[in-house]
Amino acid sequence: MPPRFPVFWATLVLFILVAASTWDALVGGVHLIIILPLVILGQWCVRWIFRRFRSPVWLRRSAMLLPALVLAAKLFIAGGRDTQALRVAFAGNIPAGIRDLHITEDAWTDYVVHAYFRCDPASLRSILERPPFARSSYQPEHLYFRATEFPGLDALPDFHGILTFERTDLENDTGHCELQTDASFSFACIVYAVD
């Protein structure tokens, strides 16, 4: 890292890493093209104010870097569009250890998310066993999702004893969210739709 302007270089490298971690070109581009210049502009304003009042260098650099670190951490946690779609469907929480994620989004007339993924069973169970999720009165014997709803997925698991959960905070006339899993909570098929 060049010795001159260390806060600038630290911020630049940090936001490049955060943009790359999204695995999403559009979201990463927004981080680098819109958010990063605004952060650097804010840092220059902070630098100017602290220099005007002859603050110590360590205080000035801390005041410039700390907000950038906090914002980068929030952007890293937010992830890409796929993670955001799951966060919306799960009412703010997403299960840990998500893998084998297949997701589609459609926002033409309604916002509809179809997703299939495997995850940490304990994390999925803890999310589904508390509000706003509740176990549905309808419990089918097989998955009623089609593999064609998930791009890149050839076949859904053929498990018996499927558990169905619904979000209770969505009104039937404005939206719904249904999730199916097996008794071990090792995978999830979810449909989320709102007007």
Side-chain angles (χ1 to χ4, degrees), residues 86 90 93-98 117-120 123-125 127 179 188:
L86 286 182
F90 275 98
N93 295 315
I94 56 173
I98 290 179
F117 57 90
R118 296 183 181 279
C119 63
D120 175 52
S123 177
L124 181 61
R125 180 189 296 256
I127 290 172
L179 184 141

Side-chain angles (χ1 to χ4, degrees), residues 78-143:
R81 284 179 290 180
D82 291 348
T83 308
Q84 288 299 328
L86 286 182
R87 197 175 303 279
V88 168
F90 275 98
N93 295 315
I94 56 173
I98 290 179
R99 61 192 183 284
D100 194 20
L101 174 62
H102 301 272
I103 190 165
T104 61
E105 280 184 285
D106 181 21
W108 182 248
T109 55
D110 301 332
Y111 178 64
V112 180
V113 175
H114 287 91
Y116 166 81
F117 57 90
R118 296 183 181 279
C119 63
D120 175 52
S123 177
L124 181 61
R125 180 189 296 256
S126 69
I127 290 172
L128 295 178
E129 289 182 345
R130 63 177 192 254
F133 284 95
R135 192 138 172 218
S136 173
S137 57
Y138 173 67
Q139 298 298 320
E141 293 183 13
H142 300 282
L143 289 171

Side-chain angles (χ1 to χ4, degrees), residues 25-111:
L26 180 64
V27 175
V30 168
H31 290 354
L32 295 178
I33 296 170
I34 298 173
I35 298 174
L36 177 61
L38 292 174
V39 168
I40 292 172
L41 181 64
Q43 287 177 333
W44 284 346
C45 292
V46 168
R47 180 175 182 252
W48 181 82
I49 291 169
F50 275 75
R51 286 186 81 178
R52 183 171 174 89
F53 291 104
R54 300 173 199 249
S55 299
V57 173
W58 67 268
L59 182 61
R60 179 174 68 230
R61 287 183 178 168
S62 298
M64 292 168 65
L65 196 55
L66 189 61
L69 290 173
V70 171
L71 180 60
K74 289 191 174 292
L75 293 174
F76 179 77
I77 291 168
R81 284 179 290 180
D82 291 348
T83 308
Q84 288 299 328
L86 286 182
R87 197 175 303 279
V88 168
F90 275 98
N93 295 315
I94 56 173
I98 290 179
R99 61 192 183 284
D100 194 20
L101 174 62
H102 301 272
I103 190 165
T104 61
E105 280 184 285
D106 181 21
W108 182 248
T109 55
D110 301 332
Y111 178 64

